[in-house]
Amino acid sequence: MIVGVDVGTQSLKAVVADSALKLRGRAAEAYKPSFPQPGWAEQHPGLWERALGPAIAAALAQAGVGPGQIEALGICGQLDGCVPVNDKGQAAGNCLIWIDRRAEAQTASIPAGTVRATGGLVLDASHMAAKIRWLKQQGDPSICRFHQPVSYLVERLTGRAVMDHALASTSMVYSLKDRRYDPALLGLFGIEEHELPPLAEAADAAGSLTSQGAALTGLPAGIPVAVGTGDDFSTTLGAGVVDPGPVVVVLGTGEVVGAIHPQPTIDQESLVETHAYPGGAYLIENPGWLCGGALVWLKELLGTASFAALDELAAEAPPGADGLLFLPALTGAMAPEWVPAARGCFYGLTPSHGRAHWARAVLEGCAFAMRDVTDRLAQMGLRTDSLLLLGGGARSRIWGQIRADLTGLPVQVPPEIDGSPVGAAMLAAVAAGRIADLRQAAALVSGARQTLQPVPGHKAVYDDAYDRYRRLFAALKPLYEPALPAR
């Protein structure tokens, strides 16, 4: 038996899988991020550590197995976070998580073209290097190294600091060509290479579970722990995707849209980023806007009992929401352009619009941003002949149908939509030598997919709504750009 863990923004999930990667048990422990002030978003790593034991124990109970039957552990989870640690690998402060934007000023002097050409990334305060620069400027002498959430937990469990190439490729200091930390980029951000974890493959064994790791997880000391990777990659892996195929759309707290490509193609328009991908290919993606998080906000705002009830409400309004538009930029715009200072809005309100229109407009607005990305991937020569929906939002049939109608593409939904802990289990199985490689593991988790076909006639309605969405974004963008100096 194998345990896979996903360290999410709102919960830690654990699964128990057998040697054929069939899931036998699953569980989750919830927690929340904190927002100390506008633009800041944090979590204390102790939240993840305290969630490990209960989530794993509950998954084991559901599977009907004991801890002694577990032979490997994999950790995956949220990326773009930054955890400062001391010389003992203990957290020296809160993790600045992926939606934290406090390091805007720390990117001002960095040449965006260099970051894009070397690392395939958009220069942005959400990425790890900017956060490291901000933390170093605070002058805490106890900090000796910086982790992402996954690599932090792996060190806590094994005593070994290590990070996989995919996670490193989100940092802004990694060279896609050389597959290493880039000395020039490190210099630009004022980071020493020894302040980052050494690199390894995601499916390598990071080390064995120590007595401390055993205490945190409830699992036996000595079992191998995989290096692991970020959830953008593990979610896609968990759906059995290792080669070019459908556009993967992950509808989690944030919405991530991307596709596998054999070459490290770089977007000169900086809408999508290029990342190393476990197994040797590349994931070309937009790292996402607040999506499921926007539905949480709307559900609470409208007093709706559940996400299913929100879907039922949205179904009462027609395609196009009778002209009501929503820009999905509650924490900044990531599409059709990266504009960190942008904010979400509803536009087109009339007295005839009600709660159903608000619900449908939010579902459609997130889908419009997805189309921005899929259109760009197609322009770059990637395959875009179908969509694969993953994450909790993939349960929403109406959301899937909106995306099929908007793009004119078939939408596939696999039997397992929470792919990240499954991807973690895949990596653990390979790291422990139970499965030969990730391609074999992917074949085991692939299953029959439900397919939603576009409804004839709806695409024309959505083409018009999408055009108005793009014009609305262009009209509002000047509000968030720096003011020109007075003459």
Side-chain angles (χ1 to χ4, degrees):
M1 292 290 187
I2 297 159
V3 168
V5 169
D6 170 64
V7 186
T9 309
Q10 300 184 83
S11 67
L12 183 142
K13 300 174 183 176
V15 299
V16 176
D18 62 21
S19 58
L21 292 178
K22 182 176 180 181
L23 295 191
R24 301 295 186 179
R26 70 178 75 211
E29 283 288 310
Y31 44 69
K32 293 181 179 181
S34 62
F35 303 94
Q37 61 188 65
W40 292 31
E42 303 177 350
Q43 278 180 327
H44 194 279
L47 290 173
W48 315 325
E49 294 183 20
R50 289 189 292 274
L52 271 170
I56 292 173
L60 289 170
Q62 189 180 93
V65 301
Q69 294 173 262
I70 302 304
E71 297 185 347
L73 172 64
I75 306 286
C76 294
Q78 53 175 297
L79 47 75
D80 274 333
C82 184
V83 185
V85 300
N86 60 25
D87 58 1
K88 295 181 175 60
Q90 299 166 335
N94 287 343
C95 173
L96 314 189
I97 64 173
W98 61 280
I99 44 178
D100 187 282
R101 305 202 62 87
R102 73 186 68 184
E104 293 287 353
Q106 282 67 32
T107 65
S109 63
I110 308 296
T114 302
V115 172
R116 181 177 64 245
T118 303
L121 300 187
V122 177
L123 176 65
D124 192 76
S126 65
H127 292 317
M128 186 185 189
K131 293 169 178 171
I132 291 175
R133 195 178 193 193
W134 185 90
L135 284 165
K136 292 186 72 170
Q137 289 174 0
Q138 307 313 300
D140 184 345
S142 70
I143 297 173
C144 72
R145 187 166 53 253
F146 300 91
H147 274 297
Q148 293 212 32
V150 170
S151 61
Y152 168 81
L153 275 183
V154 168
E155 181 174 9
R156 293 286 288 157
L157 298 179
T158 68
R160 183 185 172 202
V162 63
M163 183 185 292
D164 92 299
H165 290 269
L167 268 178
S169 73
T170 71
S171 67
M172 293 198 297
V173 290
Y174 179 87
S175 168
L176 291 170
K177 177 184 176 183
D178 298 330
R179 286 178 55 80
R180 57 164 290 181
Y181 295 121
D182 183 75
L185 290 175
L186 287 168
L188 286 171
F189 285 97
I191 301 169
E192 301 291 336
E193 187 167 347
H194 67 80
E195 294 176 319
L196 296 169
L199 298 174
E201 299 299 329
D204 287 349
S208 299
L209 198 66
T210 63
S211 58
Q212 174 179 274
L216 286 171
T217 61
L219 298 176
I223 65 171
V225 179
V227 170
T229 191
D231 54 7
D232 287 13
F233 316 110
S234 56
T235 300
T236 305
L237 271 178
V241 180
V242 292
D243 295 309
V247 175
V248 177
V249 182
V250 184
L251 302 174
T253 303
E255 177 165 349
V256 179
V257 182
I260 305 296
H261 198 56
Q263 301 297 326
T265 304
I266 293 175
D267 180 13
Q268 299 305 315
E269 295 186 9
S270 297
L271 177 59
V272 295
E273 300 185 311
T274 303
H275 301 300
Y277 187 71
Y282 297 87
L283 180 64
I284 302 178
E285 63 162 21
N286 183 294
W289 46 93
L290 203 65
C291 164
L295 293 191
V296 171
W297 165 79
L298 184 69
K299 181 170 72 72
E300 294 177 355
L301 191 68
L302 298 181
T304 309
S306 65
F307 293 116
L310 200 64
D311 279 356
E312 293 173 5
L313 194 61
E316 296 175 11
D322 284 330
L324 185 61
L325 294 172
F326 173 72
L327 290 187
L330 295 178
T331 56
M334 302 293 284
E337 299 176 44
W338 291 46
V339 183
R343 293 294 176 261
C345 79
F346 287 96
Y347 176 79
L349 282 166
T350 71
S352 66
H353 289 119
R355 297 166 73 248
H357 296 93
W358 284 55
R360 188 169 195 111
V362 170
L363 295 181
E364 292 179 346
C366 291
F368 293 155
M370 179 206 73
R371 177 168 162 179
D372 293 331
V373 180
T374 57
D375 286 354
R376 182 64 190 134
L377 293 173
Q379 292 162 7
M380 294 173 64
L382 277 72
R383 283 183 58 181
T384 57
D385 48 12
S386 64
L387 306 176
L388 178 64
L389 298 192
L390 303 171
R395 296 186 181 93
S396 170
R397 186 177 181 88
I398 186 173
W399 219 359
Q401 192 63 56
I402 286 170
R403 290 160 190 274
D405 295 346
L406 170 66
T407 60
L409 299 174
V411 167
Q412 303 170 9
V413 182
E416 179 56 53
I417 58 174
D418 284 329
S420 185
V422 178
M426 291 167 64
L427 295 172
V430 175
R434 299 301 180 187
I435 295 175
D437 54 33
L438 288 176
R439 182 161 277 103
Q440 182 179 338
L444 291 173
V445 302
S446 298
R449 298 168 177 171
Q450 176 190 12
T451 301
L452 302 174
Q453 297 292 344
V455 174
H458 282 190
K459 190 172 188 305
V461 175
Y462 279 122
D463 283 346
D464 177 67
Y466 176 74
D467 177 67
R468 289 186 292 107
Y469 150 84
R470 291 297 298 263
R471 287 188 283 127
L472 175 62
F473 183 92
L476 292 179
K477 183 184 172 185
L479 292 177
Y480 301 108
E481 293 177 328
L484 295 174
R487 289 190 163 184

